[in-house]
Amino acid sequence: MKTLCLHVALVLTLPVAAAATPLPADAWQDLLHQEWIQEARALAEAPLSHPPTPPDDAAGGCDGITTGGYGFHTDLDDTPWWQVDLGQIEPIRDVRLWNRTDSEDMARRAARFQILLSHDGTTWTSHYQHPDRLFYGYRMPDRSPLVIPLTNALARFVRIQLPERTFLHLDEIEIHGARRGSGNLALHRPATQSSVSEWSTHHPRTGIEPDWSQLTRDILDRLATADPSLVPPAELQSLRHRLAHPTPQASAQSLYLDARALQRRVSLASPLLDFETILFTQRVPGSYSHMSDQYYGWWSRPGGGLFLLRNFKQGPPTLQDLTGSLFPHPGSFLRPDLSFDARRVLFAWCRHYPHLAAEKDKLNKANIPEDAFYHLFEMNLDGSGLRQLTRGKYDNFDGRYLPDGRIVFLSTRRGQAVQVGPASAAASLASPDLPDCYVRCGGDESRPVAVYTLHTINPDGSGLLPISPFEMFEWEPSVAHDGSILYSRWDYVDRDNMPYMSLWSIHPDGTHARLIYGNYTQAPHCTFEPRAIPGSHKIIFTASGHHAQTMGSLVLLDPARATEGEDPITRLTPHIPFPEIEAWPRAYYASPWPLSESTHLVSWGVEPDIREGRTRPHNGMGIHLFNAGSGLELLYRHPDISSMYPIPVKPRPIPPVRASSIDWAGPQQGAFLIADVTRGLSTAQPGEITNLRIVAIPAKTQPRMDQPSLGLTRDDPGKAVLGTVPVEPDGSAHFLVPSGVALFFQALNADGLALQSMRSATHVQPGQTLSCTGCHDSRLESPPPARPPLAASRPPSRITPGPDGSWPLRFDRLVQPVLDALCVSCHQPGAEDAVAARFNLTPAHAYDTLARYGQPSVRDLILEAYREGVSRERRQPALLSPLLALLSQPDGHHGVALDTHARNRLVTWLDTYAQRLGSFSDLQEQELIALRASLPDVFLPNP
């Protein structure tokens, strides 16, 4: 019966939910006043919008806040330092340091800190050297700092410095004076540091009083052109008179509140509010603040439900509880969707189990009840006809109605399969607790970070299909005007994991995944909650942070202008910096529902610290109307729980249904047709690129960071080299690939060296031929080819497999045989040449030896490209490697020359980022081998 679980829908018929009693009018008016004052204060205290400078970031080291994280963070410097100016020369009793406690490796960096003092900030004297010993502070039982006495020390400037090339990042530094009652001399004093880094930020500004008169003046100026029936000129003139002639009896704040009441009257009379009811969710945000973990049931906190909001234009608003009687156990609700005819509601719910957040082994699904995972449910808008659509020990959420009646949603049930398709979907139905795949850059048994990707089902829960084989996260889908799916995904193939959560589009059958915005743009980190705007080709999204939940600044995107950078985006909320990469705001927007390019239903709230390691408040967010010109108007806020995800209750146009020709039951293979691989490359000469190397990206199969250690970056993706295919003289290529497998390509010259490599992934579905114009080509700027590509006139090429050890990728089978045959006799302990003997190429040492050879070494090249994040032409490892140059000399190296086969092995290893391994387990290796054997039509016989 397990194979039928997802196909059987649970149907309940229940009475229509009851309406809640509205607030009294005076209480509602008081709430509006509190809201308006809170908005003004949040605006006044908003972080600065410019990129953080050294003083901006350094302020976090003496702000009086200790969290166990980092208060400031320099870049990688030769001798990184942080210093504070006490304002005058002071006698110092001691220096107190709180180290970060979130990672022992990070905390150990400060183990050799020095304290330097100066009278003038120019001449420094060393007063203390820590004896290379780990220290914390915040995590100790009494949360006491490390205290360094400085007897009879006099200084105006105090510097903390490290004596080696590293990062400096402490939580807090206090400088206590020797004078009676002097206390912490460093608190809120001017500070600076040696550099800023990608982790540097602005720090909160608090206690800044708004300029109430200026705020009132701004409102009145905006209202000057309003409809006179809404804003009678006499009323506007009266407010202007009061502003110009203040009296002791009327405060500037009270005048501001009167102006806000007038603005509210105009805002809520907007013709865009052509609906009387709003569907929304009450929920307590999950207990783990991270872009990935926010959608796991074990981090849920109980409370809330789905509600209908009415009378929001006049107020006080009234509520109708749709779910209060439907779920007998405490639980958590996630982002809903309303059917196009506004009659049905799709949402996710999980039961809350109080002990699960602390469960040490969440990896073992026997420890997690099935209803502790989020599952999709559907019901009628009146609360009747509840049906459960998904089952199993997988989180299933963010369901969206598709134009053809199917449902797209996110699920962790992608699992560990290398090839994703009907077979992997069937496996997740047959076994309700298959192991997941995991993020590459962190996690463990107590915090397994399981990947969720796009899936579709029929309205009754049958017909499950994973439409994306991506090995990393995908987020928050919505349906665009053309019937495609907008979503965000995390691309970090051979680059830093931090800033690349970009906006993509895909067809409902999983074909034609393409970038919309931000593959190389680092700010914002995350392009979340995308939605197409009615009557416009533009898209709104929430610019969110990596180490936080989905919330941040609202951004309007014009995808017709560009796919990268600032040019195609407009910051609708410029007072809210992009979280984390620019600063951590004090107030946040989330869940925008566009009514026009400038007007949206939103969630908004003041939540001073939402970063990973913190727990968000229960009640931070409320439902608002937002206008880019006039700001916010409160529609509803509950005092005890957040209100989120507003949706107007009215029918919407159904986008066109995208026809699909995918034969899911046919051969699990497809093809690519590339018009000209040199298009988009500025340096490649005609005919220079002769082949493409095709690399598969198998998913990570266990949750612990760097286990096994695949390579040099700690975040290395799984890799398996399918092989190479030919490129025609005109730059075109036409070739077969396995369907449902995440892939990337490398453009090779006649010597087999990569000139360019993708930093993203692509795929095809069964029977699909996916065409593209070129290599990293711009769809917005390049016209189609003038004549048909040569490769289009012939059948697709089969793949020539790479050398042994490239599928699956293994250094010990790919490179070590070459070393054993040609090099180890000289390069091993005890060899006749003592210098050569120290360059140890025996199996236990060869990988590390080769990775560190030369200036720049392979390790240097790869880490530099990893941090840069952008793939540069002719900057690939094999082209730049001193190791390959040494072995490619005309006369060889001490008489040893690489033949073509040996050289290909070394080049393949270098250009795939010199990894030790390409798969995460022996089982995955066997699956890779079986996959190639199952597709004889795709691959040529082994050479």
Side-chain angles (χ1 to χ4, degrees), residues 307-435:
F307 292 81
L308 295 178
L309 177 67
R310 296 192 174 95
N311 199 43
F312 59 89
K313 300 177 192 177
Q314 295 79 29
T318 59
L319 293 189
Q320 180 180 343
D321 184 351
L322 298 179
T323 54
S325 61
L326 300 185
F327 294 91
H329 302 289
S332 175
F333 294 80
L334 274 177
R335 190 180 288 103
D337 192 34
L338 188 63
S339 62
F340 293 105
D341 61 6
R343 295 180 177 180
R344 291 166 292 129
V345 182
L346 192 62
F347 63 96
W349 177 86
C350 74
R351 181 177 174 182
H352 171 73
Y353 288 84
H355 70 281
L356 281 185
E359 169 61 48
K360 297 298 184 183
D361 187 7
K362 299 182 182 73
L363 193 63
N364 182 356
K365 291 190 176 183
N367 295 331
I368 315 294
E370 183 174 316
D371 59 357
F373 293 86
Y374 281 103
H375 284 288
L376 287 182
F377 292 81
E378 186 188 46
M379 66 182 181
N380 298 323
L381 188 59
D382 63 2
S384 65
L386 180 68
R387 306 186 303 155
Q388 182 173 342
L389 302 181
T390 63
R391 296 187 182 274
K393 294 190 175 185
Y394 315 101
D395 282 300
N396 307 272
F397 57 96
D398 269 3
R400 301 288 176 267
Y401 290 103
L402 290 170
D404 65 355
R406 283 174 63 80
I407 293 166
V408 62
F409 66 104
L410 293 170
S411 179
T412 57
R413 67 195 319 130
R414 179 219 183 277
Q416 300 181 356
V418 173
Q419 186 173 46
V420 172
S424 65
S428 77
L429 297 176
S431 299
D433 55 358
L434 286 178

Side-chain angles (χ1 to χ4, degrees), residues 67-228:
T67 65
Y70 54 85
F72 64 92
H73 201 306
T74 73
D75 207 353
L76 182 64
D77 294 338
D78 288 335
T79 53
W81 52 264
W82 175 96
Q83 70 185 47
V84 63
D85 179 359
L86 304 180
Q88 62 184 12
I89 297 174
E90 295 275 4
I92 297 173
R93 184 179 70 208
D94 59 57
V95 177
R96 306 180 185 189
L97 290 88
W98 279 262
N99 202 354
R100 60 189 297 184
T101 64
D102 51 349
S103 165
E104 182 173 321
D105 288 344
M106 301 297 104
R108 194 172 297 280
R109 286 174 173 166
R112 298 181 63 219
F113 75 87
Q114 302 167 325
I115 300 177
L116 292 81
L117 305 180
S118 174
H119 285 16
D120 58 8
T122 301
T123 303
W124 296 88
T125 304
S126 178
H127 277 251
Y128 180 76
Q129 169 73 64
H130 198 59
D132 198 11
R133 186 170 64 242
L134 179 66
F135 70 98
Y136 287 108
Y138 182 80
R139 198 165 63 186
M140 299 301 99
D142 59 354
R143 297 190 174 185
S144 58
L146 175 69
V147 180
I148 308 299
L150 295 183
T151 307
N152 300 321
L154 291 171
R156 173 176 172 176
F157 298 89
V158 179
R159 175 177 286 188
I160 309 299
Q161 182 170 291
L162 297 178
E164 63 268 339
R165 182 170 176 78
T166 185
F167 300 92
L168 176 61
H169 39 56
L170 296 172
D171 187 359
E172 184 75 4
I173 298 107
E174 293 184 358
I175 315 295
H176 283 256
R179 294 193 181 98
R180 183 186 298 273
S182 57
N184 177 16
L185 303 173
L187 184 63
H188 299 311
R189 293 297 306 168
T192 189
Q193 61 196 48
S194 56
S195 62
V196 292
S197 69
E198 61 184 284
W199 304 279
S200 296
T201 187
H202 295 278
H203 295 275
R205 305 183 301 156
T206 58
I208 301 173
E209 186 69 8
D211 185 339
W212 301 108
S213 295
Q214 184 59 51
L215 290 174
T216 302
R217 191 173 295 110
D218 293 342
I219 293 172
L220 298 182
D221 288 346
R222 286 195 297 269
L223 294 178
T225 59
D227 185 339

Side-chain angles (χ1 to χ4, degrees), residues 812-833:
D812 60 354
R813 295 213 308 256
L814 180 63
V815 177
Q816 191 63 46
V818 176
L819 305 180
D820 290 342
L822 301 177
C823 310
V824 169
S825 60
C826 294
H827 294 290
Q828 63 174 323
E832 182 176 344
D833 186 328

Side-chain angles (χ1 to χ4, degrees), residues 343-537:
R343 295 180 177 180
R344 291 166 292 129
V345 182
L346 192 62
F347 63 96
W349 177 86
C350 74
R351 181 177 174 182
H352 171 73
Y353 288 84
H355 70 281
L356 281 185
E359 169 61 48
K360 297 298 184 183
D361 187 7
K362 299 182 182 73
L363 193 63
N364 182 356
K365 291 190 176 183
N367 295 331
I368 315 294
E370 183 174 316
D371 59 357
F373 293 86
Y374 281 103
H375 284 288
L376 287 182
F377 292 81
E378 186 188 46
M379 66 182 181
N380 298 323
L381 188 59
D382 63 2
S384 65
L386 180 68
R387 306 186 303 155
Q388 182 173 342
L389 302 181
T390 63
R391 296 187 182 274
K393 294 190 175 185
Y394 315 101
D395 282 300
N396 307 272
F397 57 96
D398 269 3
R400 301 288 176 267
Y401 290 103
L402 290 170
D404 65 355
R406 283 174 63 80
I407 293 166
V408 62
F409 66 104
L410 293 170
S411 179
T412 57
R413 67 195 319 130
R414 179 219 183 277
Q416 300 181 356
V418 173
Q419 186 173 46
V420 172
S424 65
S428 77
L429 297 176
S431 299
D433 55 358
L434 286 178
D436 303 314
C437 64
Y438 304 96
V439 71
R440 288 187 262 115
C441 58
D444 56 28
E445 287 84 354
S446 65
R447 185 210 164 198
V449 187
V451 167
Y452 35 82
T453 56
L454 294 168
H455 292 66
T456 60
I457 51 172
N458 289 323
D460 63 355
S462 65
L464 174 69
L465 281 174
I467 63 170
S468 169
F470 199 49
E471 50 88 41
M472 203 41 59
F473 288 89
E474 296 171 330
W475 282 277
E476 298 162 356
S478 68
V479 180
H481 297 323
D482 65 356
S484 64
I485 298 165
L486 297 172
Y487 67 107
S488 302
R489 82 179 202 186
W490 190 2
D491 270 309
Y492 68 107
V493 175
D494 292 340
R495 59 180 179 176
D496 184 25
N497 61 62
M498 281 287 289
Y500 302 111
M501 281 59 71
S502 46
L503 179 58
W504 286 70
S505 171
I506 196 170
H507 289 186
D509 61 358
T511 59
H512 301 285
R514 64 186 184 96
L515 174 76
I516 300 297
Y517 174 74
N519 193 34
Y520 294 113
T521 299
Q522 298 193 9
H525 276 171
C526 307
T527 56
F528 283 171
E529 300 185 304
R531 284 201 177 271
I533 294 175
S536 171
H537 68 279

Side-chain angles (χ1 to χ4, degrees), residues 932-943:
R932 189 159 82 177
S934 71
L935 296 169
D937 294 338
V938 173
F939 297 92
L940 292 170
N942 283 320

Side-chain angles (χ1 to χ4, degrees), residues 62 89 97 183 235 239 331 402 441 458 462 488 532 555 577 593-594 634 641 655 718 750 765 800 824 845 870 922:
C62 54
I89 297 174
L97 290 88
E235 188 173 355
L239 287 171
L402 290 170
C441 58
N458 289 323
S462 65
S488 302
V555 178
W593 187 279
L634 177 68
I641 191 169
Q765 300 290 36
T800 299
V824 169
H845 301 276
V870 177
D922 292 340

